[in-house]
Amino acid sequence: MMQSGVPHCSACGESVGFGPNGEVFVACHECSFPLCKACLQYELKEGQKLCLRCGASFTAGLYNLMLDGAETQATDTRSKMASHLQNQEGGVHSRTISNFSTIESESTPESGNPIWKNRVQSWRERKNKETVSKTALEPQVPPDQQMEEKKSQEAMLPLSKVIPIPRNQLTPYRIVIIMRLIILGLFLNYRVTHPVDSAFGLWLTSIICEIWFAISWLLDQFPKWSPINRDTFVDRLSTRFERIGEPNEFAAVDFFVSTVDPLKEPPLITANTVLSILAVDYPVDKVSCYVSDDGASMLTFESLAETAEFARKWVPFCKKYSIEPRAPEFYFSQKIDYLKDKVQPSFVKERRAMKRDYEEYKVRINSLVAKAQKTPDEGWVMQDGTPWPGNNTRDHPGMIQVFLGHSGAHDMDGNVLARLVYVSREKRPGYQHHKKAGAMNALVRVSAVLTNAPYILNLDCDHYVNNSQAVREAMCFLMDPQVGRDLCYVQFPQRFDGIDRSDRYANRNIVFFDINMKGLDGIQGPVYVGTGCVFKRQALYGYGPASLPSRPKSSSSCSWWCCGSKKTSKDLPEGYQDSKREDLDAAIFNLTEIENYDDYERSQLISQMSFEKTFGLSVVFIESTLMESGGVPDSVNPSTLIKEAIHVISCGYEEKTEWGKEIGWIYGSVTEDILTGFKMHCRGWRSIYCMPLRPAFKGSAPINLSDRLHQVLRWALGSVEIFLSRHCPLWYGYGGGRLKWLQRLAYINTIIYPFTSLPLVAYCSLPAICLLTGKFIIPTLSNLASVLFLGLFMSIISTSVLELRWSGVGIEDWWRNEQFWVIGGVSAHLFAVFQGFLKMLAGLDTNFTVTAKAADDAEFGELYVFKWTTVLIPPTTILIVNIVGVVAGFSDAMNNGYEAWGPLFGKVFFALWVVLHLYPFLKGLMGKQNKTPTIVVLWSVLLASVFSLLWVKVDPFLNNDNGKAMAQNCISIDC
């Protein structure tokens, strides 16, 4: 193939090629006559040493041919080059003006010179002879072998690539961040050095708030210093691990789906999630789906049985016609042309039949739900007449049922289906079960005993697989030998269905998922957000990455590990053993207990005891932890696996082990996801953020105001719990030095942000106070102060605009995020701080109950549902106080004349800033019928009235000197 931009040889028509220095080959540097190396070599053999166009010597061509190993004698070439260079240095050239014109005319193809034509003809003939002889000598490679070689070359290419943000977008962004930091320092310096004596208390409060906001901005901004994008090559993954005629080499994946209460988490939604997993575009023998029923509900059990039967029809239909998404409820509800790109004549007929089957399946599920509304007095009874073991949800044995994956589990076309397993862990009174984190750890142990896939993908029950190739997208990172070496998990963004177009309460959380997470991906990786995440199983076991350098071996640790690993870890790489040894050092026991054993028996016993103290008393599970590539150990009897799986989900299995401390999902917070990912990053692992064009997973979000605030309250409460625990990023994980500083700032921000609610409530109340008292937190502005205020304002706008530019986030999504930051800050975050301190310090668990009101039947009707909760009181009070303050401010200005209008605008601007940010809350408070519950109005008016009366009576920000002067004036006029 011809190189673009490279001239063609005037003799043979081929590309002239490149020289040894990488530049285009030039035979004559005088006239740049296009001649390839082969033709020039032929000319030199024929004795032609001068260019036919200009008559100059082929000096450069001789030099390049000498470097390329031409057949011309090196000594003869050097002598000719030396004589030519001597002629040039002496000022004598090999041609004159007269012979230049003659030769040039002869060498022009259009001139018809016979010498030129003969020479060109001889060049072409020799070129053809060389081509024919070269083709005859080359061995003929069969086309099939050529294709195989091409595929093997493609298979060695990287499976993903990093797409950095363009420099013309990132460089201005960084410059503006630095400028904003400088301006912010100058602004705070001005504010601190210019106190307002007439309202010192207000000024001091505002200074404290502004300093905290500056710190909060730093913690949020600098982890976004180096954002990146990533792209995957799924076709290369298939070429490398899924070759035709060879065994499939894809790694197995265990899917985890967790549910608790089927009445709050509808079984139909959970079933759709399970169906989308069973139909995923991945080898069926590599997929296992484990459903954790932490409520031991017979409704969930029976709905899964119905789902397993319907999957025999649904899965082959999806794979035959490449259906997207593969959750039937969401596929059939799409308002798109379902015939697009579907050319099979039978598709329409089969789709209609499948839709009828799904409607019948929904009827059966809904009948089970209706039946479960009222529990019989004697409890539920199974079809064989035995009582349901989970009738007492707080006291029941462990239950495991394999629905699919055993002998005979085939679909309607006779193909094998993926494995589907129902799991309900044992629960007994007096044991701490640790809610979702405990259920996930039980799934880790069950899956390790039954299938032991090297990778785990966890989903919430309401998050279905929207992209059937999502697992392949993750494997482009995890199965890459270079990228996946120290990779603990691949996190996908959360996307949601059923949210109104304006996204009033920022349910999509676009700014976090499209800006913050991209920034973290450029440091050490995104945080774990609880769902849509593919884990490396070995990382969940508390091991460090294999790429970490070996630790210095102390005498104590070396004495037991080096001896105790003769059999259990002899086949593992050295770096991997070091990472295991480091995290198992915590399994300390008394060596004097085994003094009567010989050295070999002692070493084996020590090794076994260390693993048992870490992982628990299960030989099968312990053996599975040492199998980095997954799979069930060959030494295990398959008939005993279910019994062993029941054992590892017993309620006492985790006692005196490292589960929840160093292994699996970490306990101690309702946001166990943040804590689990943080522990992994502290061990030196890194994570990756994967954003395929088609969202990998989609879920449902609470779209009404009350439910959304309670969701935010739970997240903020988890952050407060981490802050008050030993895992606080402010002081945890410094010893290993494996957590990068910008990554630590990001984690600090995740546990500090709820405390911003305290200064935010104060700052949102200041405008109303200023309007009611006639005072202000800012003194009379000078020229310098005006420039600082303007510069700070412009830097904030510039940072936001440039951030939106490189991230692709829309201005509406950004503004919704800013609004809900204020709404959540003055409500849910504030309650989370107090609830967290009460829970962690005083042991009091305060619940804010929610009472529902009927919804409309219209689309997004749930958006207008109002549920009374005490979380709504603070923002409602702030709204009323600011509105009252604006009215009072205008009334005061009208009474005091035009001089009062100047200071009024600054106060009103801040008050309107608060009202504008709380506007979505105001709309949610009013509801669709523009009616606010009486209890909310009464509470808010009462608080506002009490606050105003106390202010008039006490007036704490009144200057003492002014108060005395006013008192003297009153006395003087005898008032």
Side-chain angles (χ1 to χ4, degrees), residues 660-663 666-669 674-676 678-679 682-683 719 721-733 739 744 747-748 750-751:
K661 303 172 185 175
E662 300 294 333
I663 300 174
I666 307 301
Y667 304 150
S669 172
I674 297 293
L675 198 52
T676 302
F678 173 64
K679 293 277 286 188
C682 286
R683 294 190 185 104
S719 296
E721 289 174 342
I722 297 175
F723 175 80
L724 297 174
S725 70
R726 71 183 185 92
H727 292 120
C728 178
L730 287 171
W731 51 74
Y732 182 84
L739 188 66
R744 184 178 295 277
Y747 275 111
I748 291 175
T750 60
I751 57 102

Side-chain angles (χ1 to χ4, degrees), residues 459-678:
L459 292 172
D460 288 343
C461 62
D462 60 346
H463 276 70
Y464 64 92
V465 181
N466 183 66
N467 184 348
S468 61
Q469 291 198 336
V471 182
R472 295 175 182 261
E473 296 276 354
M475 290 303 154
C476 287
F477 302 106
L478 292 166
M479 295 187 68
D480 192 307
Q482 299 298 326
V483 179
R485 182 176 174 84
D486 58 348
L487 186 61
C488 59
Y489 61 81
V490 175
Q491 177 67 62
F492 291 89
Q494 291 186 20
R495 302 299 188 218
F496 301 98
D497 286 321
I499 298 177
D500 64 306
R501 192 171 184 179
S502 63
D503 192 14
R504 181 185 294 180
Y505 308 123
N507 282 283
R508 294 189 178 94
N509 217 350
I510 295 294
V511 172
F512 174 76
F513 286 113
D514 288 15
I515 296 181
N516 296 51
M517 296 288 265
K518 286 183 181 179
L520 292 177
D521 199 13
I523 308 172
Q524 199 171 344
V527 298
Y528 169 42
V529 295
T531 184
C533 187
V534 186
F535 284 97
K536 180 179 290 185
R537 186 182 286 268
Q538 294 291 319
L540 283 171
Y541 289 156
Y543 300 149
S547 59
L548 288 179
S550 301
R551 295 180 64 199
K553 297 182 180 180
S554 61
S555 59
S556 59
S557 62
C558 181
S559 63
W560 70 266
W561 179 265
C562 297
C563 298
S565 59
K566 290 181 180 180
K567 287 188 177 181
T568 56
S569 58
K570 61 182 180 181
D571 297 328
L572 299 176
E574 181 180 357
Y576 190 66
Q577 293 178 18
D578 291 332
S579 63
K580 289 175 178 290
R581 183 195 65 241
E582 174 189 353
D583 293 290
L584 291 177
D585 280 344
I588 304 299
F589 46 86
N590 190 0
L591 292 177
T592 59
E593 297 176 357
I594 53 176
E595 287 182 350
N596 296 328
Y597 296 90
D598 59 28
D599 291 340
Y600 180 75
E601 292 175 341
R602 182 185 303 177
S603 65
Q604 295 301 310
L605 185 58
I606 289 174
S607 178
Q608 181 181 355
M609 291 176 65
S610 64
F611 275 95
E612 289 178 352
K613 283 182 174 291
T614 304
F615 295 113
L617 300 174
S618 173
V619 177
V620 177
F621 177 74
I622 290 174
E623 191 172 353
S624 71
T625 63
L626 298 176
M627 303 179 66
E628 187 175 6
S629 300
V632 180
D634 296 333
S635 60
V636 177
N637 185 358
S639 61
T640 63
L641 289 181
I642 295 295
K643 182 179 180 181
E644 192 68 24
I646 292 290
H647 167 61
V648 298
I649 61 173
S650 60
C651 56
Y653 183 84
E654 294 183 356
E655 286 191 343
K656 299 180 180 179
T657 65
E658 295 297 317
W659 284 101
K661 303 172 185 175
E662 300 294 333
I663 300 174
W665 271 257
I666 307 301
Y667 304 150
S669 172
V670 295
T671 53
E672 70 286 333
D673 46 3
I674 297 293
L675 198 52
T676 302
F678 173 64

Side-chain angles (χ1 to χ4, degrees), residues 173-185 188 209-225 516 745-746 749 752-753 756 792 795-800 803 814 818 821:
Y173 176 66
R174 291 174 173 175
I175 293 175
V176 169
I177 290 175
I178 298 300
M179 291 179 59
R180 181 174 173 180
L181 183 62
I182 296 173
I183 295 173
L184 185 61
L188 292 176
C209 295
E210 290 164 2
I211 293 175
W212 181 269
F213 294 151
I215 295 173
S216 178
W217 173 77
L218 288 175
L219 293 175
D220 180 68
Q221 188 66 60
F222 277 94
K224 297 182 285 188
W225 184 259
N516 296 51
L745 288 182
N749 187 47
I752 288 293
Y753 79 90
T756 306
L792 182 62
S795 66
I796 293 174
I797 295 178
S798 302
T799 306
S800 303
E803 199 169 82
W814 177 85
E818 291 296 310
W821 175 74

Side-chain angles (χ1 to χ4, degrees), residues 735-746:
R738 298 167 185 169
L739 188 66
K740 296 184 178 180
W741 278 102
L742 288 180
Q743 192 81 10
R744 184 178 295 277
L745 288 182

Side-chain angles (χ1 to χ4, degrees), residues 90-257:
V92 180
H93 204 273
S94 60
R95 64 177 174 84
T96 60
I97 299 177
S98 59
N99 65 18
F100 164 73
S101 59
T102 304
I103 295 175
E104 187 179 31
S105 63
E106 291 178 351
S107 62
T108 306
E110 290 79 2
S111 64
N113 190 298
I115 300 176
W116 168 259
K117 291 181 179 179
N118 293 336
R119 182 64 64 189
V120 171
Q121 186 65 26
S122 62
W123 277 339
R124 289 177 177 170
E125 289 177 358
R126 188 181 184 284
K127 188 72 175 180
N128 293 335
K129 290 180 181 179
E130 290 180 352
T131 304
V132 172
S133 61
K134 185 177 181 181
T135 306
L137 293 175
E138 288 180 351
Q140 297 296 323
V141 181
D144 295 341
Q145 186 175 349
Q146 291 179 2
M147 292 297 295
E148 289 296 328
E149 292 179 356
K150 183 178 180 181
K151 288 183 178 180
S152 63
Q153 292 176 358
E154 291 179 354
M156 298 307 295
L157 296 174
L159 302 178
S160 64
K161 67 176 181 180
V162 175
I163 305 177
I165 304 298
R167 296 185 63 181
N168 61 349
Q169 297 180 6
L170 193 58
T171 302
Y173 176 66
R174 291 174 173 175
I175 293 175
V176 169
I177 290 175
I178 298 300
M179 291 179 59
R180 181 174 173 180
L181 183 62
I182 296 173
I183 295 173
L184 185 61
L186 296 174
F187 171 78
L188 292 176
N189 177 69
Y190 171 81
R191 293 282 286 125
V192 172
T193 56
H194 291 75
V196 181
D197 296 331
S198 60
F200 186 81
L202 292 175
W203 170 83
L204 182 61
T205 303
S206 66
I207 290 295
I208 295 173
C209 295
E210 290 164 2
I211 293 175
W212 181 269
F213 294 151
I215 295 173
S216 178
W217 173 77
L218 288 175
L219 293 175
D220 180 68
Q221 188 66 60
F222 277 94
K224 297 182 285 188
W225 184 259
S226 301
I228 61 172
N229 293 311
R230 295 184 186 271
D231 194 12
T232 56
F233 304 103
V234 180
D235 52 344
R236 296 180 184 176
L237 182 77
S238 300
T239 303
R240 183 179 299 185
F241 299 106
E242 200 176 21
R243 299 180 181 179
I244 300 176
E246 297 182 9
N248 193 293
E249 298 180 0
F250 274 123
V253 180
D254 288 338
F255 286 78
F256 291 175
V257 179

Side-chain angles (χ1 to χ4, degrees), residues 281-299:
D281 184 10
Y282 206 70
V284 291
D285 59 325
K286 308 288 185 178
V287 175
S288 301
C289 179
Y290 293 85
V291 179
S292 171
D293 179 18
D294 219 30
S297 172
M298 191 173 176
L299 173 58

